[in-house]
Amino acid sequence: MAGDRDRPVVALIPPSCCGAGYFRGLRRALGDRVDARVAELPGHGRRHAEPPLTAAALAVRDVAGRLSGAAIGIERPSGAAVGERPSGVAVDAVYGESLGAYLGLALAGVFPRVPLLLVASNSPPSARPPAPEGGAVTLEAAVAALTGMGAEISGQVLADPELGGRTRAMIFGDLRLSWSAIEATRTARVAADVHVLAGTGDRAAVALEGWAAHTTGRCEVSRIPGGHLLSAENPEGVARWMVRALARR
């Protein structure tokens, strides 16, 4: 499906602990070449007052529902299948960064027509270890677990008395969502070509060729200057890479 003026429609899924505003620079760099639809998960950005989702199935349903114009509430059964297909949803590509890469993989499998899958700043879920028994009990353990996966969390944000409580809930929620998304997609395969991107300075993104195990199509790996938060550090580079990948779909 093409968007306005025949622009490709691309769903953008942010990293953990980031809202839709994270992609502001990337959207500027893309200009009118892409019809970007940014996913805003509960507990983030403008949806900060909503409880964060910790189950991949519910997060995928939420994003798919909003892309289709039919918001899906968190009261849906926690056992909802990741593979349920929403009606009226059509995008040309899904771009997920960090945690968003795993949600993008799960999301790509629910569309009636499988979109191009663009993933950045993350190792393939098949290369990730399972969640530790008992999870993360303390905030320090949760921050350490997320940063071990490449996330960047400012100590100043944690110390802010006004943001602290909300930020803590988001950190614990996104860590649990990350673990859930890894398990939900560990053996997932989609019939879409996969383009993988990582920053040359991102030490957390390893075994990138392993993304080939998650597609029955083609898998290509690229690196550009930048660290883990690529769309914040190098939006022009991400935009160029994305436009090239879209031109080859």
Side-chain angles (χ1 to χ4, degrees), residues 126-139:
S126 53
R128 289 289 189 186
E133 187 174 349
V137 177
T138 67
L139 177 63

Side-chain angles (χ1 to χ4, degrees), residues 54 66 86 89 119 160 192 243:
T54 59
R66 290 177 181 277
V89 182
V119 297
D160 189 310
V243 170

Side-chain angles (χ1 to χ4, degrees), residues 1-2 9-11 37 60-72 84-94 107-115:
M1 172 182 175
V9 177
V10 181
R37 314 282 179 89
V60 169
R61 287 170 66 93
D62 184 276
V63 173
R66 290 177 181 277
L67 287 173
S68 67
I72 296 176
E84 288 187 25
R85 295 180 179 272
S87 61
V89 182
V91 299
D92 295 294
V94 175
L107 187 65
V110 307
F111 289 115
R113 179 171 62 84
V114 181

